[in-house]
Amino acid sequence: MRTLTVDLNERSYPIYIGRGIRQQKALFDEAIHGKQVMIVTNDTIAPLYLDAMVDMLSADYKVDTCILPDGEEFKTLDTYGTIMTSLLEAKHNRTTTVIALGGGVVGDMAGFAAATYQRGVPFIQVPTTLLSQVDSSVGGKTGVNHPLGKNMIGAFYQPQAVIIDTDSLLSLPQRELSAGMAEVIKYGLICDVPFFDWLEQEMPALMSLDNDKISEAIYRSCLAKANVVAQDEREGGVRAILNLGHTFGHAIETQMGYGNWLHGEAVAAGSVLAMDLSWRMGNITDEDFRRTVDLFKAAKLPILPPVNMTLANFVERMALDKKVLDGSLRLVLLGALGEAIVTSDFPMEDFNACLTDALEASKQANLAIS
């Protein structure tokens, strides 16, 4: 087992990474401070892992469960209300601990419920997808989607611990594994060129779920994110670099309908767009751009936007992004490979050309994900 710490002073917490650690009760005991536990999961994960977790914890805690429908389309205020109703009906008090057992949607919603139930109760992240293990479970972003925009309702609220069991990846569909790899690649692009180089060499092993390689990728991804979050917990500055590809990607997710494109798929296509714009601005080389596209391809991820989106769709959706400041769209781009920047200072003709060319290429390739 490997351990690292997200250093946020009194809100600091450990991240544990290892095989089979979901059943190491001592890790949970360290993070549970009362006698009540609410496990929030979904109807895909529950049949796989819920009973074992309930059995493990029931000897020492009153354990209740809340099973949600699976899918990004259910990341809504209504589903959040389901969690709150479960907590209230089971008479959970301020010393309860919420455990998020699932992927990013479960983690975001359970975390938001924990942040707001009786004005805040502890919670633990037990992420079961690669994407949630390397990204959404770390850093304290919680929330739900709105039909007009992704993650527009939420709170910054840190967990007590993140417990990453790599064995859970064995039950992950190939498409979900690829989606998670988009966030792994992101860290190499924004802040760690040696990691990017390593990913180029090891992608076949990673996609085959070689345990040593995948554990290393998760550790280095979490370390990169922990370092950024420690500098900027509430995204007032440098933390925004973690959103490479996300402004384009959120536009894709919202336009296509939540769940039709997985988050990681949209981030991959969005990252290629961000790299394309960075290249047009002269910030990265032809070779940097080519290597990036090849790496996303090797991870079996889309490199073009949806065939049925338009430039107007992107402009409309991106105008609602959280990074818009005083009416100006800010994008995460690269100043160089491994050096991300957040800027509104980009030529609009390059922005429009980047999207127009990608959309035309998508039509020619007839790209569609359903």
Side-chain angles (χ1 to χ4, degrees):
M1 185 176 71
R2 303 181 74 174
T3 304
L4 58 95
T5 300
V6 181
D7 186 2
L8 294 169
N9 299 316
E10 70 277 5
R11 291 180 304 286
S12 297
Y13 54 92
I15 302 172
Y16 303 107
I17 304 166
R19 298 192 66 176
I21 64 172
R22 189 177 55 251
Q23 289 303 114
Q24 290 190 20
K25 183 171 177 289
L27 300 180
F28 291 85
D29 289 338
E30 291 174 5
I32 298 172
H33 304 299
K35 288 298 181 182
Q36 293 178 309
V37 170
M38 175 65 74
I39 303 174
V40 179
T41 188
N42 65 37
D43 53 17
T44 298
I45 295 300
L48 300 174
Y49 308 127
L50 181 58
D51 286 349
M53 184 169 288
V54 170
D55 289 345
M56 176 184 69
L57 296 174
S58 290
D60 293 319
Y61 307 101
K62 176 185 180 295
V63 180
D64 294 297
T65 63
C66 177
I67 301 175
L68 308 175
D70 185 15
E72 185 81 25
E73 64 270 31
F74 299 108
K75 189 179 170 182
T76 64
L77 283 170
D78 284 345
T79 308
Y80 157 82
T82 298
I83 304 173
M84 301 302 273
T85 298
S86 296
L87 286 162
L88 288 164
E89 287 182 343
K91 296 181 173 56
H92 281 246
N93 58 42
R94 284 183 172 176
T95 67
T96 192
T97 298
V98 175
I99 297 177
L101 174 64
V105 171
V106 167
D108 282 5
M109 288 197 297
F112 186 38
T116 50
Y117 185 69
Q118 298 198 24
R119 297 185 175 87
V121 298
F123 85 109
I124 300 169
Q125 290 272 20
V126 187
T128 59
T129 65
L130 180 60
L131 193 147
S132 60
Q133 290 174 355
V134 301
D135 184 54
S136 60
S137 67
V138 179
K141 280 188 175 181
T142 70
V144 297
N145 298 331
H146 187 277
L148 294 179
K150 184 177 170 69
N151 293 328
M152 298 302 284
I153 304 165
F156 287 99
Y157 194 66
Q158 303 297 338
Q160 299 296 301
V162 180
I163 300 171
I164 299 174
D165 189 337
T166 57
D167 278 351
S168 64
L169 300 179
L170 298 174
S171 61
L172 200 63
Q174 176 69 60
R175 187 179 172 193
E176 294 275 2
L177 177 65
S178 291
M181 207 60 69
E183 297 283 3
V184 175
I185 294 169
K186 173 192 74 179
Y187 294 112
L189 290 172
I190 64 173
C191 64
D192 193 344
V193 173
F195 186 39
F196 183 85
D197 297 339
W198 182 84
L199 289 171
E200 287 183 306
Q201 297 298 316
E202 302 296 347
M203 189 55 70
L206 292 168
M207 296 302 291
S208 297
L209 285 180
D210 177 285
N211 187 70
D212 289 342
K213 302 297 185 185
I214 202 74
S215 294
E216 178 69 11
I218 293 168
Y219 179 85
R220 292 177 72 167
S221 297
C222 288
L223 181 61
K225 183 161 189 180
N227 287 338
V228 172
V229 170
Q231 298 174 61
D232 178 18
E233 181 180 1
R234 293 179 174 266
E235 203 168 273
V238 67
R239 181 169 176 167
I241 69 171
L242 296 171
N243 291 315
L244 179 73
H246 285 59
T247 302
F248 292 105
H250 287 170
I252 292 172
E253 288 184 88
T254 306
Q255 182 67 32
M256 298 304 293
Y258 299 125
N260 289 311
W261 274 57
L262 298 181
H263 176 67
E265 293 168 341
V267 166
S271 295
V272 173
L273 287 167
M275 293 293 287
D276 188 352
L277 182 53
S278 301
W279 169 75
R280 290 171 191 264
M281 293 168 62
N283 295 350
I284 62 171
T285 67
D286 293 356
E287 179 69 4
D288 294 334
F289 188 30
R290 182 197 61 76
R291 289 173 66 196
T292 300
V293 170
D294 287 348
L295 189 54
F296 280 119
K297 284 182 177 178
K300 298 181 172 57
L301 285 160
I303 58 167
L304 292 169
V307 67
N308 47 347
M309 280 189 74
T310 66
L311 177 61
N313 293 151
F314 271 100
V315 171
E316 177 185 1
R317 296 297 185 183
M318 292 170 76
L320 294 171
D321 187 82
K322 296 191 297 297
K323 288 180 292 303
V324 171
L325 186 65
D326 295 330
S328 294
L329 175 63
R330 296 185 301 156
L331 295 175
V332 183
L333 304 175
L334 292 194
L337 190 65
E339 296 178 16
I341 57 174
V342 184
T343 182
S344 57
D345 185 16
F346 51 86
M348 282 307 298
E349 59 268 26
D350 287 344
F351 172 83
N352 289 332
C354 161
L355 279 167
T356 300
D357 289 352
L359 290 165
E360 181 58 32
S362 184
K363 288 178 183 176
Q364 304 226 356
N366 194 27
L367 178 73
I369 294 181
S370 59

